[in-house]
Each structure stands twice: as structure tokens, then as C-alpha cells.
Amino acid sequence: MPLLEIKNLRTSIGKREILKGVNLTIEAGTTHVIMGPNGSGKSTLSNVIVGNPLYQVSEGEILFKGKNLVEMTPDIRANEGVFMAFQNPVEVEGVSYASFLKQALNAKRAYLNLPPLDAMHFLKHIKMRAEALNISNDLLKRFLNVGFSGGEKKRMETLQMAVLEPDFCILDELDSGLDVDALKEVSVGVNLMKEKQRAFLLITHYEKLLEYVKPDFVHILKDGRLVQSGGKELADKVYKEGFGVFE
Amino acid sequence: MSKEEFISKIKRLSEEKYQYGFASDIDSNTAPKGLSEDIIRFISAQKKEPEWLLERRLKAYRHWLTLEEPHHWGKISYPPIDYQDIYYYASPKKQNAPKSLDEVDPDLLEAYKKLGIPLKEQEVLAGVAVDAVFDSVSVATTYKDRLKKMGIIFCSMGEAVQEYPELIKEYMGTVVPYMDNYFACLNSAVFSDGTFVYIPKGVRSPMDLSSYFRMNTKKAGQFERTLIVADEDSYVSYLEGCTAPQRDENQLHGAVVEIVVKDRAEVKYSTVQNWFPGDKNGQGGIYNFVTKRGVCFDDAKLSWTQVETGSAITWKYPSCVLKGDRSRGEFYSVALTNNYQQADTGTKMIHLGKETSSLIISKGISAGNSNSTYRGLVRFSKNAKNAKNSSKCDSLLIGNKCGAHTVPVFEDASKTAVLEHEATTSKISEDQLFYLEQRGLTEEQATALIVNGFCKEVMQKLPMEFAVEAVSLIGLTLEGSVG
């Protein structure tokens, strides 16, 4: 069974149809990239998979490990193992990053019928991962994303991913707002997470990221449809010729 | 009320004879329903009070009869209360002045346990001395001996009247006089029990003093009276926590808290209030009409911290009278309302002395169909030269059917006051909720997390053991507020 199978997915915001029948199969252990011009529906696709209530699915299925995500609330999808690194992570005043992470991790553990981690084990759990990602303790003590730079926010998204250990990770415009050094650092984090039971879906309109995170498959999304799929060479084609050549 | 109605009411009430023959009911230690001079005499006799105290009660009662119930005041409205349909005195049965916890009725201990107040464990673990008020009579007091050695008095009001009558006579009613307001006046007439704290000169209380109040007997209006006197250069932190089991009928709670903070002394008073708020349709719940006030002498400091999540109606304004020069008052408040709850709360900072200062931080959260109002008065008298106040009032709305209101009033007769005031109103954003839900939190958990973050500034003022309880309370109170 594929890890994720999207079948004839149609979605709209209000009356406007954005995705017009998307089909996509993702196997565990693979990395996929969706590229496309602005407004092609890339962000819609990622938001629909994680269940953002702003988007309505009018037709189709999103099967994750055989279960239809469309019928689940966002928190259940998350606890089933679907994660999205946000393009613009939100700020929450008064909530420390560490306590938020602890609550998220223990929510997932509760869903999996595991006992909650106590403070000591939790600290060990995050400390190890923060060190691997070269993230300083100070960020964990601060309020959730409040006053973080763009690069800090993105790096912390990868830390969340490492802490929660999801099976399917969507990286929505992970590269936006990052300089090359920050991009490298974030990519290291992603590559550390690559494992055979896990798959990645990268959303980008910029091929730089792909130098650091090597994709197995590249898909071109245009006007709500996947118009072409292939290997890394498709990304090179976009780089050289733009999206105009894809119909 | 017209003058004729008024007179007839007084007549009716004063002529009303006690109709249940409570002499035969004395075994149950419960006065029959209703309010009259006879009932007050009964309460006073039960408590073996001195004559002067009975006279004070009767004086308050007679004054109360002339007052009109303020049942449409501020943002609060409620149907008139039938004061003849309330029990004014009830004590748990088998109550025989237990000398230790072992002598306490096991059923009572069980009830406390269900409320998460395991006295026995608390005694050992928390290092908190507890004066537990079950209905109207204290049944257990811990750590008293240790405190006693330092000269600290921490006991029930009933006991204090017997043991320290001169202190009670000297201070009771000096901060909140019986004619202060309708409910304080009623309390002065019928107060059942409560807590008395005295910290001698130069003594710092080695532990937080804590009093848990609980209402149990059906229709037992509770009228606690708390008096804290911190003598010169002393310090005490006092915790008040409240729980009540679910009830269908409204219960009136009209407590009075008076605090005297002498020169250079400091008192911290923290409250977590989670009485039954009524069901989700607005049926039942506690009416929490409380008068809390402290007076600060030279260089004294009083800080009120409150987390109000319970009660159908909360109506209270813990206040500081900054009488002494350079005295300071602080007020930190979280008021969270859900369903059909109403909260009208805030503070009064009355600056009388020179260079007095005050700080107000209020966080109001409204969900469901509820209404939350911050109402504050900061007054600088003519002599309060170079005084200052800083106020910050934030409101957070959850959903579209609730309301949040901010009514700050500033009066400056000193012409030298420095004022800073800041107020915000916000809503929880869809983006924030979705982000947290994507990390596996339910909508309710996500909401509670955001709300707790919003309240952080106040929550961190609470003593540790209270803070933990308060955080989970916020989550509990928000149940059913979303979705």
C-alpha cells in the first residue's frame, strides 16, 4: 500500500475551484517535489492534505496508510503522522516553545496509547534533536515563534518535525525567506530525517532547495492539475525554460 | 421601591416571627431558612459570641433592611433574590471540634479528596497550612502550632472571636464598614465563619497560608468573613481557593475580605475561584458577590492576584486604599467566562498618600454567550502628590456571541498624577488554532493553550501550586467553548 494516495482531488475556496482533479501516489521512503507558478494551487494542495478548514474538498480522496484523511479533523491527521512545516509559522504570546512541544508530543503519544513523557524524558528527547539540528536552547525558552527571524522559524519547524517524528512531511515553501546559509542548515535537518518509513513532499517554486534536498520525483502543477511528472531533470527544465513550456 | 413598600418590607421582616421552632432543630445545628433578628441571635448564640458582636450584627441587619438590592448594576443583571429562602447557618453534623485530622468525619475528608484537596497529603507534601471551611464551620486547621510559635495567628473567625476578641473588635469592619454596600452589609449581619490571620511585627510567614472554601449544604448561603492583619514590617502570602459541587439552584455567596497592611508590611492575596458556573444553558450556578479591600499604611504593599473562572455571576473589585505615603497596590486578574456566565470585576486603587503607586493588569477572556467586564477606578486624592498608576487591560474573545467590556475610570484631584493606561481587545485567530491543531492538539486544547499564553503575565504571579491548578482550570472552563 502506498503511504499516501491522492485520487481525483477537487477543492475550492468559496466558488472558485483551485484543484481540478489531482492524482498523486507517494511511497514511503521517497521525496517528492511539487513545483508550479504562483496561483497554480501548490499551497492549496498542502493545506488540503493537512485539513485547513479554509479549503473545501468537493470531490476525491486522500488516502494515508489506507485511511481517508478527508474525513478526519486536523489534529487526528497530525496524530496519524501527517506533518506540515508551515510557510509562515504563527506566533503565540505567552506560550513557551518547550511547553508547546511537550504538549504536542504528548498529544500524539496519547493518541497512540502511550504514556505521556515526563519533564525529564521530554527534555532529553528534545535536547538530543536540538543539538543535532544545531538549535540553541534559548529558542526553546522563548514564546512560540514570537520575535523569531524567518530563518529561526523555519529551523524550529524542522525541530518540531524531528520531535514529533511524523511519517509524512510536507515542507511548504521551506526555502522562502531564507538566505543560502540558512537554507543549507534547514536542509541538513530534512536530510537527517530521511528514513525508509517516511516520505517528504516539498512545495517550492524555486529549485535552489533541490540542490540540498535531493528529490526522487518532481511534479509540475499548473492551473490545478499535475501536468507532468518525472525525475530531478524536470526541475532543471523549469530552471532553464520556466513553467511556460509545460502544458 | 416606593417609600410605602419600603416601610412595609421593614415591618414585615421585623415582625416576622420565627415559624419553624428551631429550638427543636438545634441538634442539626442548622438554622431554618430565612432571615430575621431571631436568626441572627441564633447564629450569634451558636457561636457563643460576645454581646458587642451580636450588637454589631443587629446594627448591620437593621441598616440592611433600609437598603435596596442592586440587581441591575453595571453589566450585571439577575432576578431578585428571595432572602427568606436561604439558610444562613449550617454546620456539618457530628462536628465536635476535632483536635486532629483523625477526628474529622471521614465523609468530609472524602469530599475534600474528590475536590483534589487531600488535607492529609497536603499537610505532609505541600507545606501549606490549611484552614478548611466546610459550609460554615472550620473542621480542620493544620500547621497552627508551628505558626503559633512565631506568633502568627491563623484560625477560623469563630475561634478568633473567642480567643482574640480584642483584635477582632479593633480591626473588623475598619476596612469594609457594614454600611459599605448591600452585600457587605448582609455579610456583616449574618457572617458565618471565615479566617483570621495576624502576623506580628517583623515576622515573615514561613509558608503560604491557604484557605479552601466549599459550599455543600443545599441552599446554604455562604457569608465568610476574612480578616488579615499584617503588623509593621511583616509579610504573608495568603491563598484562597474555591470549589463547589454541581447545583441546580442558585447559591448566593457574599464574602467580605478585609486586609490591614501596616507600615512596611507586605501582603499577597491570591484567589482561584471555580465555583459552579451554571450549566451550558445558563441554569444554576453561584452568585459571587464579594467585597475585598485592603488598606496600606506607609511603605506598605498589597497585591491581589485572582483567577476567576467559576460562578454564574462574579461581581468583585478587590481594592487597595493607599493611605500611607509610598504605599503600593497591585491587582493581577484573569477573568474567564463561558456559556452564560457574567463577570464584572476589576479593582479600585484609592491613592491617598504621597508618592503612592499602583499597577493593574487585567486579562478578560469571554467565550460562548458570556460577558466579561473590567471595571476599574483609579482615584488620586488631593494629597496624593506625585502618585502614579499603570493599567493594562486586555480582552480576548472566543467566538462571535460573547462580549468584552472595559470601563476604566480615572480621577485626579492631585494634579500631579502620572498615569499610563493601555487596553487591547483581540480574537483568537484561525491561523493560530490551525497551526496548533496541525501539531496534534484538539481545537479545545489549542484554545486553552492560547488562552493560558494570554494570561501568562498574571498566572506567573500565582504561587506554584496554585498556578498548576489554574492552568488546568482554564482548560476545564473552556470545555465546550469551541466547535
Side-chain angles (χ1 to χ4, degrees):
Chain A
M1 193 193 339
L3 185 66
L4 187 86
E5 207 177 355
I6 298 174
K7 293 178 175 173
N8 189 33
L9 185 65
R10 302 178 90 95
T11 66
S12 49
I13 297 184
K15 280 190 173 162
R16 198 160 66 94
E17 190 168 50
I18 313 260
L19 298 181
K20 301 167 181 172
V22 169
N23 293 288
L24 178 65
T25 300
I26 294 179
E27 301 286 347
T30 61
T31 299
H32 293 242
V33 177
I34 292 188
M35 305 183 80
N38 289 333
S40 58
K42 298 190 303 295
S43 275
T44 301
L45 180 61
S46 49
N47 274 286
V48 166
I49 295 170
V50 291
N52 189 328
L54 288 177
Y55 302 86
Q56 283 92 45
V57 172
S58 45
E59 216 181 306
E61 288 179 324
I62 308 170
L63 299 176
F64 179 68
K65 298 178 184 173
K67 296 181 196 166
N68 191 2
L69 292 180
V70 174
E71 289 150 12
M72 300 176 192
T73 55
D75 54 307
I76 302 291
R77 298 183 202 207
N79 289 326
E80 281 283 335
V82 179
F83 179 94
M84 179 163 87
F86 281 69
Q87 188 177 345
N88 298 307
V90 301
E91 304 186 357
V92 184
E93 280 288 349
V95 174
S96 87
Y97 216 110
S99 69
F100 154 70
L101 269 181
K102 185 172 175 209
Q103 204 177 337
L105 180 61
N106 282 334
K108 179 164 186 177
R109 291 177 64 89
Y111 185 78
L112 299 175
N113 286 320
L114 294 169
L117 280 192
D118 60 30
M120 210 179 69
H121 287 93
F122 169 74
L123 281 179
K124 217 172 128 186
H125 184 94
I126 48 172
K127 217 174 157 193
M128 223 167 71
R129 288 160 176 80
E131 274 169 18
L133 295 171
N134 199 18
I135 286 170
S136 88
N137 237 344
D138 294 347
L139 290 179
L140 288 165
K141 287 181 193 153
R142 283 164 57 183
F143 294 150
L144 187 53
N145 291 320
V146 177
F148 285 29
S149 72
E152 284 170 335
K153 282 181 183 171
K154 293 292 171 83
R155 281 169 62 199
M156 292 303 270
E157 291 289 291
T158 60
L159 175 65
Q160 291 189 34
M161 190 164 75
V163 166
L164 297 171
E165 301 179 318
D167 291 331
F168 182 60
C169 309
I170 302 169
L171 310 176
D172 190 10
E173 309 269 358
L174 191 65
D175 43 6
S176 71
L178 295 190
D179 58 30
V180 177
D181 290 336
L183 183 60
K184 259 190 208 165
E185 229 160 345
V186 169
S187 308
V188 169
V190 174
N191 289 326
L192 275 174
M193 291 281 295
K194 282 193 175 180
E195 283 183 65
K196 66 175 188 300
Q197 81 282 5
R198 184 173 293 135
F200 289 87
L201 179 63
L202 280 59
I203 308 283
T204 183
H205 53 247
Y206 175 65
E207 82 307 326
K208 193 82 190 161
L209 175 65
L210 306 182
E211 286 178 23
Y212 304 107
V213 182
K214 297 276 188 284
D216 304 303
F217 301 96
V218 175
H219 311 274
I220 307 296
L221 186 68
K222 259 191 106 174
D223 193 26
R225 288 186 187 87
L226 290 178
V227 292
Q228 204 167 342
S229 294
K232 171 86 167 59
E233 74 283 354
L234 264 185
D236 299 334
K237 193 171 169 189
V238 169
Y239 179 57
K240 290 194 188 104
E241 302 169 34
F243 290 108
V245 296
F246 300 99
E247 286 305 333
Chain B
M1 196 183 296
S2 72
K3 202 174 170 192
E4 288 73 30
E5 282 173 312
F6 206 39
I7 290 166
S8 88
K9 184 185 173 190
I10 294 173
K11 227 173 150 187
R12 182 167 43 92
L13 289 173
S14 55
E15 282 174 0
E16 203 157 65
K17 287 291 173 219
Y18 171 63
Q19 43 185 313
Y20 301 93
F22 58 65
S24 63
D25 257 0
I26 278 176
D27 283 350
S28 75
N29 283 339
T30 298
K33 269 185 192 174
L35 185 52
S36 65
E37 292 205 0
D38 282 346
I39 291 282
I40 290 166
R41 286 177 202 281
F42 173 79
I43 295 171
S44 190
Q46 281 291 302
K47 301 172 84 60
K48 301 186 176 64
E49 288 177 353
E51 189 62 26
W52 62 264
L53 189 49
L54 173 63
E55 283 310 315
R56 283 197 190 181
R57 285 179 181 272
L58 291 171
K59 204 166 156 189
Y61 174 65
R62 288 168 197 144
H63 181 70
W64 180 76
L65 290 174
T66 68
L67 299 174
E68 201 169 336
E69 184 182 4
H71 53 87
H72 294 289
W73 190 88
K75 281 275 173 192
I76 296 295
S77 73
Y78 64 94
I81 295 167
D82 182 354
Y83 292 92
Q84 297 305 331
D85 196 34
I86 292 175
Y87 290 103
Y88 289 89
Y89 185 79
S91 70
K93 288 179 186 167
K94 291 193 219 163
Q95 202 271 328
N96 232 335
K99 289 177 189 66
S100 75
L101 289 175
D102 298 339
E103 291 179 28
V104 171
D105 187 333
D107 288 347
L108 293 191
L109 292 179
E110 186 59 29
Y112 281 128
K113 212 165 141 189
K114 280 187 186 145
L115 291 167
I117 316 164
L119 272 186
K120 285 194 161 224
E121 288 136 62
Q122 211 156 21
E123 193 175 18
V124 181
L125 294 173
V128 171
V130 174
D131 178 56
V133 176
F134 191 96
D135 286 340
S136 312
V137 174
S138 293
V139 292
T141 301
T142 57
Y143 275 95
K144 237 161 73 177
D145 288 342
R146 195 180 149 193
L147 295 171
K148 212 171 176 176
K149 281 184 190 128
M150 305 181 73
I152 295 173
I153 301 169
F154 176 45
C155 64
S156 74
M157 186 55 86
E159 204 182 327
V161 167
Q162 301 302 324
E163 306 284 327
Y164 314 100
E166 64 295 341
L167 284 172
I168 303 300
K169 201 173 175 181
E170 183 179 351
Y171 291 106
M172 182 190 269
T174 58
V175 186
V176 180
Y178 70 86
M179 67 286 262
D180 192 80
N181 67 68
Y182 189 83
F183 295 102
C185 187
L186 180 61
N187 177 291
S188 302
V190 302
F191 72 90
S192 39
D193 211 331
T195 306
F196 174 63
V197 174
Y198 175 79
I199 314 290
K201 280 182 191 173
V203 171
R204 287 183 69 87
S205 175
M207 64 188 86
D208 296 341
L209 304 184
S210 162
S211 178
Y212 281 82
F213 296 97
R214 176 166 183 259
M215 282 182 256
N216 188 49
T217 303
K218 203 174 163 81
K219 287 222 166 183
Q222 278 227 326
F223 299 93
E224 286 102 0
R225 188 97 198 178
T226 300
L227 174 61
I228 299 175
V229 179
D231 218 325
E232 291 168 16
D233 300 291
S234 69
Y235 166 84
V236 67
S237 161
Y238 185 86
L239 320 181
E240 174 203 311
C242 318
T243 53
Q246 189 150 329
R247 284 262 175 265
D248 291 326
E249 293 162 85
N250 290 308
Q251 285 186 307
L252 174 63
H253 181 86
V256 169
V257 176
E258 296 179 280
I259 303 181
V260 178
V261 196
K262 297 280 192 74
D263 293 355
R264 299 171 302 279
E266 179 177 356
V267 174
K268 281 186 186 168
Y269 192 103
S270 310
T271 307
V272 170
Q273 185 268 111
N274 62 335
W275 285 328
F276 180 51
D279 66 18
K280 62 183 196 312
N281 301 315
Q283 296 298 307
I286 306 289
Y287 289 178
N288 184 26
F289 300 159
V290 182
T291 306
K292 291 181 168 176
R293 191 178 305 147
V295 57
C296 292
F297 291 85
D298 287 354
D299 300 290
K301 183 177 165 187
L302 170 59
S303 89
W304 299 99
T305 304
Q306 60 173 22
V307 175
E308 303 280 328
T309 60
S311 297
I313 304 176
T314 296
W315 189 357
K316 61 182 273 198
Y317 313 95
S319 304
C320 300
V321 180
L322 303 172
K323 194 171 177 178
D325 294 345
R326 298 168 304 280
S327 60
R328 178 168 174 83
E330 293 177 355
F331 175 73
Y332 303 95
S333 170
V334 168
L336 169 55
T337 53
N338 193 5
N339 298 319
Y340 287 88
Q341 282 176 278
Q342 306 178 62
D344 197 302
T345 184
T347 185
K348 286 188 272 187
M349 294 292 175
I350 310 297
H351 292 254
L352 303 176
K354 290 193 290 286
E355 293 166 46
T356 47
S357 64
S358 60
L359 172 69
I360 297 171
I361 295 181
S362 161
K363 304 278 180 177
I365 304 108
S366 317
N369 292 282
S370 70
N371 259 295
S372 177
T373 301
Y374 167 80
R375 190 181 301 280
L377 169 66
V378 178
R379 175 185 289 154
F380 299 93
S381 74
K382 220 174 130 192
N383 296 327
K385 294 296 176 202
N386 302 314
K388 58 185 176 196
N389 164 269
S390 170
S391 302
K392 186 165 180 253
C393 308
D394 298 323
S395 306
L396 184 68
L397 299 169
I398 302 170
N400 300 317
K401 284 176 264 167
C402 54
H405 317 272
T406 304
V407 189
V409 177
F410 299 96
E411 297 169 3
D412 180 16
S414 75
K415 310 290 177 208
T416 57
V418 179
L419 271 170
E420 282 169 37
H421 179 250
E422 195 185 309
T424 66
T425 302
S426 53
K427 276 192 78 165
I428 290 185
S429 83
E430 300 282 334
D431 284 352
Q432 282 180 323
L433 280 179
F434 178 62
Y435 182 79
L436 299 174
E437 286 174 68
Q438 210 300 303
R439 297 305 185 246
L441 307 188
T442 63
E443 194 176 355
E444 279 185 3
Q445 289 170 330
T447 306
L449 190 74
I450 295 168
V451 169
N452 272 313
F454 173 77
C455 304
K456 184 89 168 188
E457 266 176 293
V458 173
M459 297 300 227
Q460 65 194 11
K461 290 287 166 189
L462 288 172
M464 188 56 114
E465 61 269 40
F466 248 26
V468 173
E469 190 184 333
V471 166
S472 53
L473 250 184
I474 299 255
L476 276 176
T477 309
L478 285 168
E479 271 179 14
S481 68
V482 294

